[in-house]
Amino acid sequence: MRAIIILCTLFLASASTADTIYRKVDANGRVTFSDKTSGSTGEAPVELESPTSRSSRNPHDAVFNPVFETSSRELSAGKAFVATVPGCPAPLLLTAYHLLGPSGGLHFQMTPAQIKSEVSKIRLYTLKNSTLAGEARADSHTPANVSTCCNATNPRASAGDIAAFTAPVKVAKLALPLAILDARKGDMVFILTSLSGKADTTFSHEAIVTGMQDGYLTYDITNPDYAIRATSGAPVINSKGQVIAINLGGGPQQGGKRGYYGMGNPVSAWKTPLSNTCK
């Protein structure tokens, strides 16, 4: 079994329709998609404020660099994304729970109750040019039974490493859908994130699912130069643009193989707990 090396503490931060297969985003921010029915392909640049249909939208438009205002300080760490959750009347902003703790710069890990009382406001900045995309009062929907990836708690016994808030109205229309089922071994998936210290504007990073380990989805990242730091909280989507996990961490490949593997909290662990918080 592969040794787990989750780099939670290294993440300090300085979609499509059912018939559309999401492919890649190029350096100019254009998404290439393919329609399974007609076999046609096309490219479409999408601006954040454009009234676009889900089929032409760039999935990474739903991903942001978040800043959380707390009673003691601001936390700027990792990534957050907007998604629609069954049972919730409005889209939610999802991120990694461990970012609201030492990984985000605090001296302690906030409890769900502390998140609700001490996180007062959230600001979201775009991946592409770091402009303010939306802000709102923090309305937490973080389940009570969450755990950080760093404590090796099996997310199958809890909602795992996830924090959730009502998404700012301004970005709600960009919400990604959730997958019904977990990804399977051999599936190609995409981590939607910017990379710390990288000058390029590639926000889609391919990976191949290798299975489940201790309740976490594992995947080998195709690009050997992928930088793990500051990618916690990014969505991992399937080829239909549906969220299948929240990216949490990873480690170097073993056996002399160059590159990294990643680990994520699978949608099956937190979809129902989130639905219940909305009720």
Side-chain angles (χ1 to χ4, degrees), residues 10-12 77-79 96 98-99 191-196 205 221 226-235 246-249:
L10 299 183
F11 293 156
L12 302 183
K79 300 293 181 283
H98 71 258
L99 294 175
I191 308 169
L192 303 183
T193 183
S194 56
L195 299 180
S196 179
H205 309 276
I221 300 167
Y226 179 92
I228 288 179
R229 183 176 179 269
T231 62
S232 278
I246 296 176
N247 190 55
L248 299 177

Side-chain angles (χ1 to χ4, degrees), residues 11 13 20 23 37 95 129 131 149 163 175 181 190 200 210 217 267:
F11 293 156
T20 301
R23 293 303 186 193
T37 303
T95 190
N129 51 24
T131 58
C149 60
L181 301 174
F190 306 87
D200 61 36
T210 54
L217 186 73
V267 67

